[in-house]
Amino acid sequence: MKPLPFRDDMLEAIRAGRKSCTARTKRFGKPGDLLDTQGAGTVRLVSVEKLPLAVVRDEHWAQEGMSSPEDFVRVWAEIHSHKGFVPDQMVWLHTFEPA
């Protein structure tokens, strides 16, 4: 089983049922794969698709466990401080459910 690491606040969002997807710069698996969140249990990938980061911000911010699109941009920029939020950057959106 592959690890899928998260920040502590995102682990809490997964445990609370507020987070059901994550955008990543690399692909972590394919639908059906089980991943270890390293703190919020095992999840099963439901879908994996490549999208511009702006689409994740505009259409998936709530599934990402964020309170607003602006919150998503802020957190992304914190995590990716070297590059920041680049709207046209292509990322992998991993949608998951508890396994």
Side-chain angles (χ1 to χ4, degrees):
M1 184 177 341
K2 292 182 186 178
L4 183 61
F6 288 93
R7 296 171 10 149
D8 288 343
D9 57 340
M10 295 296 100
L11 289 171
E12 177 54 37
I14 293 169
R15 287 191 290 266
R18 294 188 318 269
K19 183 171 181 68
S20 60
C21 73
T22 186
R24 301 295 174 110
T25 57
K26 68 178 189 175
R27 187 176 185 155
F28 275 79
K30 63 186 185 313
D33 285 353
L34 296 176
L35 301 172
D36 178 7
T37 65
Q38 300 182 317
T42 302
V43 296
R44 180 183 325 282
L45 289 178
V46 175
S47 66
V48 180
E49 57 185 318
K50 199 167 191 179
L51 300 169
L53 196 51
V55 171
V56 179
R57 175 198 61 204
D58 296 342
E59 299 177 15
H60 302 282
W61 59 268
Q63 290 172 286
E64 276 273 7
M66 303 298 162
S67 59
S68 67
E70 295 78 17
D71 190 32
F72 176 80
V73 170
R74 179 187 59 77
V75 170
W76 183 272
E78 284 176 9
I79 294 169
H80 303 276
S81 59
H82 61 286
K83 191 171 183 177
F85 181 86
V86 179
D88 60 349
Q89 178 182 359
M90 296 301 288
V91 296
W92 292 97
L93 185 68
H94 301 76
T95 303
F96 54 83
E97 63 188 11

